């Protein structure tokens, strides 16, 4: 199968995940870029940030229009994570490829288990403690910078399980966090962008943006707990495949 077809297919799936789940795009984009399109782990993490930034910003518009974004909570998350994201981005280029892949898989697995064990979200919005939101966002920013992910696959479980947001609000709010964290992480990787294969990244990002709109419509038809379980199972599958590959 040609790289263009693979890029379009992977992009559509990742956009669907971002639009419907508010995350999972980068955790799926990085393995797709490495195993399907031949990117190195470092190049894949940088390309993933480009793709996910564009896609999450697009998906955010639709969720905001429906009132499913907690702007203050998202802003606290993102603001606390900008510094750690910048630092993590600078560190990432100095880590071995195997270490990046293994760490990525472990973090994805932990987030999936957290999501499966998270209590069901209430239908009523609850107040969010600023300190807790800032602390969680800081850790999320560090992971974003090091692993080259937007952080939605961690933000959604945190927003639901730690801060008590409803699933649909967590999905919309995480898109705001992803957009800001990804942009911050990209700042430290600007010098590596010249070596990226834009003939693959551009159609990948375009398909992801279109898929995000379909994901938004899917999210309106599926219950929050169902989205939660699907999200967690996808993360577990990806984590298992990457850990197996690292061990071989």
């Amino acid at each position: 199968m040609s790289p263009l077809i693979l890029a379009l297919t992977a992009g559509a799936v990742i956009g669907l995940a971002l639009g419907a789940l508010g995350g999972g795009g980068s955790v799926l984009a990085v393995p797709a870029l490495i195993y399907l399109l031949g990117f190195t782990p470092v190049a894949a993490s940088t390309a993933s940030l480009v793709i996910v930034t564009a896609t999450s910003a697009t998906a955010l518009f639709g969720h905001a229009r429906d009132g499913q974004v907690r702007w203050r909570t998202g802003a606290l998350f993102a603001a606390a994570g900008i510094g750690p994201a910048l630092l993590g981005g600078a560190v990432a280029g100095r880590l071995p490829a195997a270490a990046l892949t293994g760490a990525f898989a472990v973090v994805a697995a932990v987030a999936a288990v957290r999501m499966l064990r998270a209590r069901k979200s209430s239908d009523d919005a609850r107040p969010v403690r600023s300190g807790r939101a800032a602390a969680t966002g800081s850790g999320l920013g560090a992971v974003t910078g090091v692993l080259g992910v937007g952080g939605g696959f961690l933000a959604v479980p945190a927003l639901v399980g730690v801060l008590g947001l409803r699933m649909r609000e967590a999905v919309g709010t995480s898109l705001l966090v992803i957009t800001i964290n990804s942009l911050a992480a990209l700042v430290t990787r600007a010098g590596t962008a010249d070596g990226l294969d834009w003939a693959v990244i551009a159609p990948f990002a375009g398909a992801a943006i279109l898929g995000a709109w379909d994901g938004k419509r899917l999210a309106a038809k599926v219950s929050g707990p169902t989205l939660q379980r699907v999200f967690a199972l996808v993360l577990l599958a990806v984590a298992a495949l990457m850990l197996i590959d690292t061990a071989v």
Side-chain angles (χ1 to χ4, degrees):
M1 190 178 294
S2 73
L4 177 59
I5 298 300
L6 287 173
L8 290 172
T9 303
V13 172
I14 285 156
L16 191 70
L18 269 170
L21 302 173
S26 52
V27 79
L28 297 175
V30 171
L33 289 164
I34 293 173
Y35 299 116
L36 297 180
L37 297 165
F39 282 54
T40 66
V42 174
S45 64
T46 303
S48 170
L49 287 171
V50 174
I51 294 163
V52 173
T53 298
T55 308
S56 59
T58 303
L60 174 63
F61 174 78
H63 286 270
R65 185 178 55 190
D66 292 344
Q68 297 295 342
V69 178
R70 294 280 290 275
W71 294 99
R72 182 171 179 273
T73 300
L76 283 170
F77 250 73
I82 288 175
L86 291 170
L87 180 60
V91 170
R94 296 180 170 84
L95 296 177
L100 280 174
T101 303
F104 191 98
V106 170
V107 170
V110 170
V113 172
R114 176 93 190 189
M115 178 63 83
L116 287 172
R117 297 180 61 186
R119 61 184 178 274
K120 292 184 179 180
S121 52
S122 171
D123 289 336
D124 298 322
R126 294 186 291 171
V128 176
R129 293 182 180 178
S130 299
R132 179 176 288 187
T136 308
S138 181
L140 188 67
V143 172
T144 296
V146 173
L147 300 183
V149 298
F153 73 108
L154 295 173
V156 172
L159 290 167
V160 173
V162 178
L163 301 183
L165 268 65
R166 293 175 296 174
M167 182 61 184
R168 296 192 191 285
E169 284 186 335
V171 167
T173 304
S174 73
L175 289 168
L176 174 63
V177 177
I178 293 168
T179 301
I180 297 174
N181 277 355
S182 297
L183 283 171
L186 273 173
V187 169
T188 62
R189 298 177 183 232
T192 65
D194 293 338
L196 297 179
D197 188 351
W198 293 102
V200 171
I201 295 173
F204 198 125
I209 289 171
L210 292 175
W213 288 105
D214 290 331
K216 171 66 174 59
R217 288 192 288 270
L218 176 65
K221 299 177 182 178
V222 181
S223 69
T226 299
L227 286 175
Q228 211 168 310
R229 286 191 294 271
V230 170
F231 189 19
L233 292 174
V234 170
L235 285 183
L236 281 176
V238 170
L241 289 173
M242 296 187 78
L243 283 173
I244 290 170
D245 180 69
T246 304
V248 173

